[in-house]
Amino acid sequence: MGDWFADGLRFECTGCGECCTGASGYVWVDETEATAIAARLDLSIDDFGRRYLRRVGARLSLVERPDGSCALLDPASRRCTIYDDRPTQCRTYPFWRSIVADEEAWSREGTRCPGIGRGRRHDAEAIRTALRATGATR
Ligand code: SF4
């Protein structure tokens, strides 16, 4: 995988919040990330876990509101409330295996995310680094 984006891909977030809302899904969080987010919210790790995490098999995911939006998204401003400590999965979006699998998948995601195809060009190596960071999870 990878040849099709050898010249890099354009992406620049507009801050619209679409990727943090809508269809239900998982936002994987590891222990290091959970600890950082809990500290940012001034919660103990246990309180943070009770309020914001759900166990899915052996892993942990952030919880969602009933409308599918992330519980850590401010519903009024549609801004992430933990942005600087957001999980790797959020940090590496949209450079996920499922999205950069081929040009068609990338274009399809572009109908949802207005940041795709605009702004700064990310070179192939940066994209591969993002893919390695999420491993096989996305
Ligand atoms: S959908 Fe795209 S442009 Fe909108 S907040 Fe998410 S990454 Fe940014």
Side-chain angles (χ1 to χ4, degrees), residues 11 13-19 93 112-115:
F11 166 70
C13 179
T14 66
C16 72
E18 272 300 307
C19 56
Y93 179 85
R112 179 171 172 241
C113 166

Side-chain angles (χ1 to χ4, degrees), residues 21-121:
T21 60
S24 185
Y26 300 118
V27 180
W28 304 117
V29 180
D30 68 20
E31 271 185 40
T32 306
E33 292 168 337
T35 302
I37 300 168
R40 184 179 191 86
L41 296 174
D42 214 11
L43 292 172
S44 70
I45 188 72
D46 287 346
D47 284 347
F48 172 69
R50 271 191 288 275
R51 283 172 65 172
Y52 291 108
L53 296 177
R54 57 183 159 149
R55 191 162 281 286
V56 183
R59 295 191 284 173
L60 295 168
S61 173
L62 293 176
V63 296
E64 298 171 328
R65 298 200 176 87
D67 67 359
S69 62
C70 177
L72 291 167
L73 186 73
D74 182 315
S77 67
R78 287 170 72 89
R79 295 279 166 177
C80 177
T81 58
I82 54 146
Y83 190 78
D84 288 340
D85 288 304
R86 65 200 186 286
T88 300
Q89 183 177 326
C90 309
R91 204 174 281 279
T92 55
Y93 179 85
F95 302 119
W96 297 348
R97 263 167 222 289
S98 54
I99 298 174
V100 300
D102 52 38
E103 207 162 349
E104 194 187 327
W106 179 250
S107 298
R108 201 180 318 119
E109 189 71 11
T111 62
R112 179 171 172 241
C113 166
I116 285 178
R118 72 186 286 278
R120 187 161 83 79
R121 183 174 291 278

Side-chain angles (χ1 to χ4, degrees), residues 5 88 92 95 97 123-135:
F5 61 72
T88 300
T92 55
F95 302 119
R97 263 167 222 289
D123 66 28
E125 192 42 47
I127 295 167
R128 289 195 192 101
T129 299
L131 293 174
R132 281 194 293 273
T134 50

